[in-house]
Amino acid sequence: MSMEPRPARETDLAVLPEIERSGDAMFADLGIVFPPGPMVIETMIGKGADILVAGNPPVGFAAVRELDGAAHLEQISVRSDLVGHGIGGRLLKEVLARAAEEGAPGVSLLTFRDVPWNGPWYARHGFAVLPEERWTPGLRAHWNAEVGARLHELGPRVVMWAPSPGPDDTDRSTM
């Protein structure tokens, strides 16, 4: 089965919430239990997000949307029994490549700072914490929405950023 990322097809969408649910169960082992409500992917489907999947049927996905002229990774999730096989890394690499191809200055995301497969994992893939003074209005609004939804009570959160390479392959680190 090919695990190379590809755009999601209509027939892929029904299995994505279950993939996210299986990933969320891993957080429970750390004492992080998400409040009831729709899965992130359910809020992205049909709302203009670019959804990439790995596998056929999918075993992982990434949902990306435009935010203040940059790409914003809303969610990346891999079926819990396949975590650690490089699927998430392939999806993330494709997200970064597509952002660069589309001329985005980079990719932003919000994540748990200390969860090993969140902040530290993204840092190993070229992301760094974005200082608050560099947040765009959209990032600030996203942060505030998370605070309002009490997500920050579950553990320290950070905004992270990975710049796209410029035309001469130099770092375009500003938003």
Side-chain angles (χ1 to χ4, degrees):
M1 171 192 321
S2 173
M3 291 295 162
E4 290 310 307
R6 61 175 173 79
R9 297 185 286 263
E10 188 68 32
T11 56
D12 296 325
L13 301 178
V15 301
L16 303 184
E18 190 52 42
I19 293 169
E20 184 175 346
R21 215 172 269 99
S22 80
D24 283 359
M26 294 170 41
F27 287 90
D29 294 340
L30 300 176
I32 298 173
V33 178
F34 295 103
M39 305 305 292
V40 173
I41 191 62
E42 291 172 319
T43 67
M44 298 281 87
I45 292 172
K47 303 282 191 323
D50 290 325
I51 301 172
L52 301 172
V53 298
N56 190 18
V59 296
F61 70 85
V64 181
R65 67 182 179 101
E66 186 274 331
L67 185 65
D68 296 328
H72 183 76
L73 179 60
E74 286 287 347
Q75 180 75 334
I76 192 167
S77 192
V78 173
R79 213 173 67 194
S80 62
D81 63 325
L82 294 173
V83 168
H85 290 90
I87 298 166
R90 283 195 288 282
L91 283 163
L92 186 58
K93 183 178 178 182
E94 185 67 14
V95 166
L96 292 164
R98 284 174 178 254
E101 287 169 13
E102 292 169 5
V107 177
S108 63
L109 58 87
L110 280 74
T111 194
F112 287 104
R113 182 187 70 201
D114 302 325
V115 172
W117 57 88
N118 278 195
W121 184 80
Y122 287 112
R124 287 193 305 274
H125 287 86
F127 284 78
V129 172
L130 186 67
E132 190 171 350
E133 62 269 13
R134 291 191 40 217
W135 294 2
T136 63
L139 282 172
R140 183 161 311 284
H142 203 0
W143 179 271
N144 290 339
E146 283 194 358
V147 170
R150 305 179 79 168
L151 190 57
H152 292 248
E153 295 174 18
L154 302 176
R157 304 273 297 165
V158 292
V159 174
M160 298 186 83
W161 173 259
S164 293
D168 59 355
D169 207 34
T170 58
D171 180 5
R172 291 181 10 188
S173 58
T174 58
M175 286 192 68

